[in-house]
């Protein structure tokens, strides 16, 4: 009888040891589990935004589209303007003989060519839905804009160049007269923005594309 009692008896210290061993194994297995994946960075992308000086909006639009303040200079654009003969001018927009700016589309087109790019003048009769956005480096819009004399807004308008491009998956309005870049959004929102702009009077759109894209017309999604 005593032997039977002894076989049925379990020392409570044995049970405590087993529980401790199970806890140690659980702790060990959790420590060996793979680390959690890193969280995506919420830091917004750095955006180059050149502000308005004098009448150099064409220069600002170009540098903002290229996201590079050294892409073009006032001297570069002035040199291009001076070597363009009147017979090569597309439009008769007034230009500054003193290099203060107000450059027309001819200067912009020639400047882009020095960097291996072309400007495609968009036919407003077509819908912007047929633009193959993935093959377009950026956009330059020519829009009417109010003139200012210091802090005063004058009751006059002059044509103004603005740059638009994608940075970090978001399209931005990089108008040099804005205090900071203005988010437009995704491709659908960009198309909506362009449609609204092109409905305005005296608004024109240029697509900035590489020479290869222009040669193969791959800025078009409709063939």
């Amino acid at each position: 009888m005593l032997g039977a009692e002894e076989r049925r008896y379990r020392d409570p210290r044995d049970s405590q040891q087993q529980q401790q061993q199970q806890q140690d194994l659980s702790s060990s297995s959790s420590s060996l589990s793979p680390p959690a994946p890193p969280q995506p960075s919420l830091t917004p992308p750095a955006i180059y935004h050149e502000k308005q000086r004098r009448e150099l909006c064409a220069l600002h639009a170009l540098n903002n589209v290229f996201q590079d303040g050294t892409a073009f200079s006032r001297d570069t654009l002035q040199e291009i303007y001076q070597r363009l003969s009147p017979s090569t001018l597309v439009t008769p927009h007034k230009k500054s003989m003193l290099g203060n700016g107000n450059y027309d589309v001819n200067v912009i087109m020639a400047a882009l060519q020095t960097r291996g790019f072309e400007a495609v003048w968009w036919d407003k009769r077509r819908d912007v839905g047929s633009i193959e956005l993935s093959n377009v480096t950026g956009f330059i819009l020519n829009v009417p804009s109010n003139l200012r004399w210091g802090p005063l807004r004058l009751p006059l308008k002059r044509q103004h160049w603005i740059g638009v491009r994608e940075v970090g998956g978001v399209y931005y309005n990089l108008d040099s007269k804005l205090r900071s870049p203005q988010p437009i959004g995704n491709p659908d929102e960009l198309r909506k923005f362009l449609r609204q702009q092109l409905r305005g009077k005296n608004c024109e759109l240029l697509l900035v594309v590489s020479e290869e894209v222009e040669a193969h017309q791959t800025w078009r999604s409709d063939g």
Side-chain angles (χ1 to χ4, degrees):
M1 294 296 293
L2 289 174
E5 289 292 331
E6 288 175 352
R7 285 195 297 270
R8 289 195 298 267
Y9 174 79
R10 290 185 178 180
D11 191 333
R13 290 176 296 179
D14 294 339
S15 177
Q16 292 175 357
Q17 289 177 353
Q18 290 178 353
Q19 291 178 358
Q20 182 63 41
Q21 290 173 353
Q22 291 176 351
Q23 291 176 358
D24 292 342
L25 287 173
S26 176
S27 175
S28 175
S29 63
S30 63
S31 65
L32 296 176
S33 60
Q39 295 297 318
S41 174
L42 300 179
T43 304
I47 302 174
Y48 180 77
H49 181 224
E50 205 163 277
K51 302 291 186 64
Q52 185 74 18
R53 290 187 300 112
R54 300 180 182 175
E55 294 181 342
L56 296 172
C57 56
L59 171 64
H60 305 320
L62 285 165
N63 285 345
N64 286 339
V65 163
F66 279 83
Q67 286 292 282
D68 181 1
T70 63
F72 302 94
S73 68
R74 184 185 67 176
D75 291 342
T76 300
L77 297 192
Q78 185 65 12
E79 179 184 350
I80 291 172
Y81 159 66
Q82 290 176 342
R83 68 178 170 80
L84 286 174
S85 66
S87 61
T88 65
L89 300 182
V90 176
T91 55
H93 292 169
K94 179 181 177 182
K95 294 170 290 298
S96 172
M97 295 297 294
L98 300 177
N100 291 329
N102 198 20
Y103 298 111
D104 73 356
V105 67
N106 304 279
V107 176
I108 289 177
M109 295 170 70
L112 288 171
Q113 290 170 355
T114 67
R115 297 292 297 264
F117 286 81
E118 296 286 345
V120 177
W121 202 321
W122 183 253
D123 184 348
K124 293 194 293 185
R125 294 171 298 180
R126 303 178 61 187
D127 184 69
V128 295
S130 61
I131 300 175
E132 182 57 60
L133 298 178
S134 62
N135 290 335
V136 178
T137 301
F139 304 86
I140 296 179
L141 285 155
N142 187 249
V143 299
S145 179
N146 289 102
L147 287 177
R148 287 182 175 273
W149 183 266
L152 300 177
R153 177 179 293 184
L154 303 178
L156 300 171
K157 288 185 180 292
R158 172 172 285 181
Q159 292 301 111
H160 175 62
W161 298 104
I162 66 175
V164 173
R165 73 158 291 160
E166 175 267 332
V167 180
V170 177
Y171 286 92
Y172 288 88
N173 179 356
L174 301 173
D175 184 350
S176 56
K177 289 187 176 182
L178 294 174
R179 291 186 176 180
S180 61
Q182 185 178 75
I184 296 173
N186 60 34
D188 288 339
E189 291 167 319
L190 170 69
R191 296 183 197 278
K192 181 180 179 181
F193 170 83
L194 294 177
R195 289 186 185 105
Q196 290 175 339
Q197 294 295 322
L198 291 173
R199 290 191 194 106
K201 187 178 180 181
N202 299 325
C203 179
E204 301 293 340
L205 172 64
L206 300 176
L207 313 185
V208 178
V209 301
S210 68
E211 290 178 343
E212 182 180 0
V213 167
E214 166 58 6
H216 295 91
Q217 300 283 292
T218 50
W219 49 266
R220 300 172 54 177
S221 62
D222 57 359

